[in-house]
Amino acid sequence: MPRRINAIFIAGTGTGVGKTVITGLLARYAKEKNYRAITQKWVQTGTLHTQDFDRHLKLMNVQKGEVKKYVPAAVCYRFKHASSPHLAAALAKKQVSSALIVRSFNSLAKKFDMVIVEGVGGALVPLNRKNLVIDIVKKLKLPVVVVAQNSLGAINHTLLTIEALRARKIKILGIIFNNTDNNVDAQVAGDNPGIIKALSKERILGSLGFNKDDNALYKKFKPIAAKVIKAIP
């Protein structure tokens, strides 16, 4: 049996950078390495369905029925409005409870070797008027993988994310650069990892090119996943 690993947090440098795909692919790798792995999405906005969690399961080749009893803990909140959780909750006349998120996480961590948590937007997104996503990451002492969209703007967004994590003494496992489409400037994409490594001194876990085929994408991702697991203290 592999050693027990508690959890990993997937922090995006913003919205739409590929957190969902990276989370699902990493969970698939963990599953193939015989970890009992599950993903978690603290707040799903833009739909009342468990959209991102369902995508994780598809990438993992897991049927939803196999984990049906864990869904309420895996997806703590769902709101129809596509916005920051604090606003989406307010429009639904509800409030996101950080205590409920912590309880849900702990319940999964007791049952699984690994809980891979997908962030909500960027690290400093507000869950409510008191708590940011990063506050819960700190409370749970989760090590973080930063996912950056490998395009123009990545340098600033990634360095700001790193600074926010460091300011709270949160462990950074490394950075994954992700292409969410084929419309990428090759020179920019090629330069981003090197300059960010030089400026931040953080580990670059790899770059993932765009591919519509999940299996082909996973094949490219496996060496990156291996580095993530190895980086966990």
Side-chain angles (χ1 to χ4, degrees), residues 123 131 168:
N131 300 114
R168 292 160 178 81

Side-chain angles (χ1 to χ4, degrees), residues 166-201:
R166 285 178 174 171
R168 292 160 178 81
K169 296 180 170 55
I170 294 170
K171 173 70 176 176
I172 302 172
L173 299 179
I175 305 162
I176 297 173
F177 291 87
N178 183 52
N179 290 341
T180 57
D181 56 46
N182 281 322
N183 299 319
V184 58
D185 183 313
Q187 288 182 308
V188 170
D191 180 71
N192 281 337
I195 187 62
I196 290 173
K197 180 176 177 60
L199 293 169
S200 71
K201 311 304 183 200

Side-chain angles (χ1 to χ4, degrees), residues 14-30:
T15 299
V17 300
K19 297 185 303 295
T20 302
V21 169
I22 298 299
T23 300
L25 292 175
L26 184 57
R28 177 172 171 175
Y29 182 83

Side-chain angles (χ1 to χ4, degrees), residues 48-59:
L48 294 177
H49 299 290
T50 56
Q51 178 175 290
D52 291 348
F53 181 70
D54 293 348
R55 180 71 174 124
H56 301 159
L57 294 179
K58 184 179 179 183
L59 287 162

Side-chain angles (χ1 to χ4, degrees), residues 37-200:
I38 193 166
T39 62
Q40 189 181 34
K41 179 82 176 187
W42 293 341
V43 184
Q44 173 76 66
T45 63
T47 177
L48 294 177
H49 299 290
T50 56
Q51 178 175 290
D52 291 348
F53 181 70
D54 293 348
R55 180 71 174 124
H56 301 159
L57 294 179
K58 184 179 179 183
L59 287 162
M60 293 169 69
N61 294 321
V62 171
Q63 296 298 313
K64 196 170 185 178
E66 297 177 47
V67 293
K68 185 177 180 180
K69 65 180 178 180
Y70 301 113
V71 172
V75 188
C76 304
Y77 291 97
R78 287 172 271 170
F79 300 115
K80 186 176 181 180
H81 196 74
S83 66
S84 172
H86 81 285
L87 176 58
L91 293 172
K93 301 188 185 317
K94 295 181 180 179
Q95 186 171 354
V96 174
S97 165
S98 58
L100 185 146
I101 289 173
V102 169
R103 287 197 304 272
S104 297
F105 170 83
N106 287 332
S107 72
L108 293 176
K110 289 175 182 177
K111 297 178 177 71
F112 292 86
D113 300 324
M114 185 185 297
V115 183
I116 303 173
V117 183
E118 179 190 345
V120 186
L124 297 181
V125 165
L127 294 170
N128 48 49
R129 291 188 174 274
K130 293 182 178 180
N131 300 114
L132 305 172
V133 168
I134 201 171
D135 297 327
I136 312 303
V137 176
K138 180 176 173 60
K139 183 178 181 65
L140 292 172
K141 299 179 181 179
L142 303 180
V144 170
V145 170
V146 176
V147 177
Q149 185 166 324
N150 200 5
S151 59
L152 187 64
I155 298 170
N156 181 64
H157 295 159
T158 306
L159 293 178
L160 286 174
T161 300
I162 290 169
E163 285 204 10
L165 292 166
R166 285 178 174 171
R168 292 160 178 81
K169 296 180 170 55
I170 294 170
K171 173 70 176 176
I172 302 172
L173 299 179
I175 305 162
I176 297 173
F177 291 87
N178 183 52
N179 290 341
T180 57
D181 56 46
N182 281 322
N183 299 319
V184 58
D185 183 313
Q187 288 182 308
V188 170
D191 180 71
N192 281 337
I195 187 62
I196 290 173
K197 180 176 177 60
L199 293 169
S200 71

